[in-house]
Amino acid sequence: MNGLLFANAAVKTMESKLFGAEKLGRLSECDNLSDAVRILREGGFGAQSDSDDYESMLANEEQTLETFVRKNAPKGAGFECFWLKTDYHNLKTALKAKYFDMDDEDLYLSGGNRPAEEIKDAVVQEGKSLGDYMDKVTVKVAALRSENALTPKAVDETADRAMYDEIAALVSARGVAKVVKDYFRAEADLTNVLSYRRVIEAGMDYKAFANCFVAGGAIPSDRFSRAFKDGQTGFELLGLTGLKSEGIDSTRAMEKAKEEYLLRLMTGMANDMFTVQPIMGYYLIKKAECRAIRTIMTGIANKLSREEIKRRIIKIYA
């Protein structure tokens, strides 16, 4: 408990150094990268980096965040679930490289629960276990290949289902805070609603949705089946997740609303110093901040309009 209190106290100091809505707004108004980099420097971004390359600055911020959290977050609190997403990204990459001769150079990510090289080696060598959930993915993918039914999309769907199965198992463990359980349950539900919406938007049949339905949410699969039979578009299902559907009239708007809702869910009680919420809330805000800055910088580099750049950014700060 003392370790958690210390970590949460440190987070309160670090929160004062977040980039903030005002600087983010100024950044999105920049006409060129040199002005944008200057604002990043003024905001304390990339303080440990001598480079003016914004990707290097962002990478430095993200690495600093990961180092702090891995050192201070209590084990088994749920952070493993966030890092699991990196593991499964690397598993997908390795499987596609193996079965589709895809060039996987520079596609692997760091920051997972296990090194990317370990996952790649296990896929290439076969017979080396990556744990029950990942092993099921490799077996299923191999079976699909033998049936001439393997596609990159099938790799993604198989891995995503296994990932959410593993997340559900992790958050069900004793000692995981209710807010963490609520977060990942809502994420699973919103992921399913978005998948349903994309299937409807693409004019595909219900089987296409069933193939990508993930476990761990509170909305059962038969509720989606009924929605499909009733001709529902997906927006009607948002209320079942706790997210209000007012003003959400497109898939992109739904995606943004999902990100914002999950962020608010974790940061709504971030002053409870006796729970994992402050450190996890800070982690999610800082990650969202880095994504927003990367979106802005990329938009400026590609000469997108200010309106288009702002349209792509979620509301981060309460």
Side-chain angles (χ1 to χ4, degrees):
M1 179 60 72
N2 287 338
L4 180 60
L5 286 172
F6 172 81
N8 285 339
V11 158
K12 290 305 170 185
T13 299
M14 295 163 71
E15 283 177 348
S16 66
K17 298 178 182 179
L18 285 168
F19 199 66
E22 187 271 333
K23 290 188 183 71
L24 203 63
R26 285 175 54 205
L27 192 69
S28 66
E29 293 288 331
C30 288
D31 294 319
N32 55 70
L33 283 177
S34 60
D35 287 347
V37 167
R38 177 177 52 79
I39 291 174
L40 283 184
R41 288 287 187 198
E42 290 174 358
F45 249 72
Q48 305 302 317
S49 173
D50 294 329
S51 173
D52 279 342
D53 173 58
Y54 70 85
E55 275 294 353
S56 296
M57 297 167 75
L58 284 165
N60 178 265
E61 289 291 321
E62 290 166 334
Q63 184 56 56
T64 300
L65 174 66
E66 292 291 342
T67 300
F68 171 79
V69 168
R70 287 176 187 271
K71 179 180 178 181
N72 293 286
K75 304 301 181 188
F79 280 97
E80 296 84 357
C81 297
F82 296 111
W83 300 325
L84 202 63
K85 296 177 182 182
T86 298
D87 291 334
Y88 276 89
H89 164 88
N90 291 334
L91 179 62
K92 293 178 192 178
T93 300
L95 288 167
K96 290 175 185 176
K98 176 178 180 178
Y99 290 110
F100 299 101
D101 295 323
M102 184 187 76
D103 182 6
D104 58 350
E105 187 177 358
D106 299 327
L107 293 180
Y108 293 98
L109 302 177
S110 60
N113 289 303
R114 62 177 79 218
E117 198 63 32
E118 179 183 335
I119 293 173
K120 181 177 180 179
D121 287 347
V123 169
V124 172
Q125 295 173 11
E126 299 184 359
K128 183 178 180 181
S129 178
L130 289 170
D132 290 345
Y133 294 95
M134 283 192 168
D135 287 351
K136 287 178 182 177
V137 175
T138 59
V139 169
K140 175 65 174 178
V141 166
L144 288 172
R145 174 59 178 255
S146 68
E147 298 164 5
N148 293 317
L150 186 63
T151 64
K153 187 171 186 291
V155 172
D156 288 340
E157 292 173 348
T158 303
D160 286 344
R161 289 197 300 271
M163 181 185 75
Y164 276 96
D165 283 345
E166 188 164 357
I167 287 174
L170 286 171
V171 300
S172 68
R174 183 179 179 182
V176 177
K178 181 179 181 298
V179 67
V180 178
K181 297 176 187 289
D182 290 345
Y183 178 95
F184 285 105
R185 182 172 62 248
E187 185 187 61
D189 280 333
L190 287 165
T191 295
N192 285 329
V193 172
L194 262 169
S195 295
Y196 178 92
R197 171 61 196 162
R198 292 186 184 114
V199 164
I200 295 298
E201 194 171 41
M204 294 186 285
D205 59 20
Y206 182 75
K207 184 179 179 181
F209 168 74
N211 286 338
C212 55
F213 178 84
V214 300
I219 308 175
S221 59
D222 62 358
R223 180 64 182 83
F224 290 96
S225 177
R226 294 201 308 274
F228 193 87
K229 290 176 182 176
D230 293 341
Q232 294 184 349
T233 63
F235 299 112
E236 306 91 337
L237 298 168
L238 281 173
L240 300 176
T241 70
L243 173 60
K244 295 180 180 179
S245 60
E246 286 83 359
I248 302 175
D249 57 3
S250 69
T251 304
R252 176 55 188 154
M254 190 184 288
E255 290 168 347
K256 286 183 66 176
K258 171 190 173 182
E259 291 184 64
E260 292 174 351
Y261 177 76
L262 290 174
L263 194 59
R264 297 285 85 77
L265 192 64
M266 186 55 69
T267 59
M269 294 288 290
N271 289 321
D272 188 346
M273 302 294 283
F274 295 95
T275 73
V276 73
Q277 205 157 348
I279 187 172
M280 193 170 283
Y282 174 77
Y283 176 79
L284 292 176
I285 287 177
K286 187 66 177 179
K287 294 282 281 187
E289 187 178 81
C290 288
R291 287 196 301 273
I293 290 172
R294 183 172 282 110
T295 296
I296 293 171
M297 301 299 281
T298 302
I300 293 171
N302 290 296
K303 302 188 184 304
L304 296 183
S305 69
R306 292 174 179 174
E307 292 72 22
E308 177 61 21
I309 291 173
K310 291 176 181 178
R311 188 181 70 82
R312 298 183 181 192
I313 301 170
I314 70 166
K315 183 180 179 182
I316 299 171
Y317 313 100

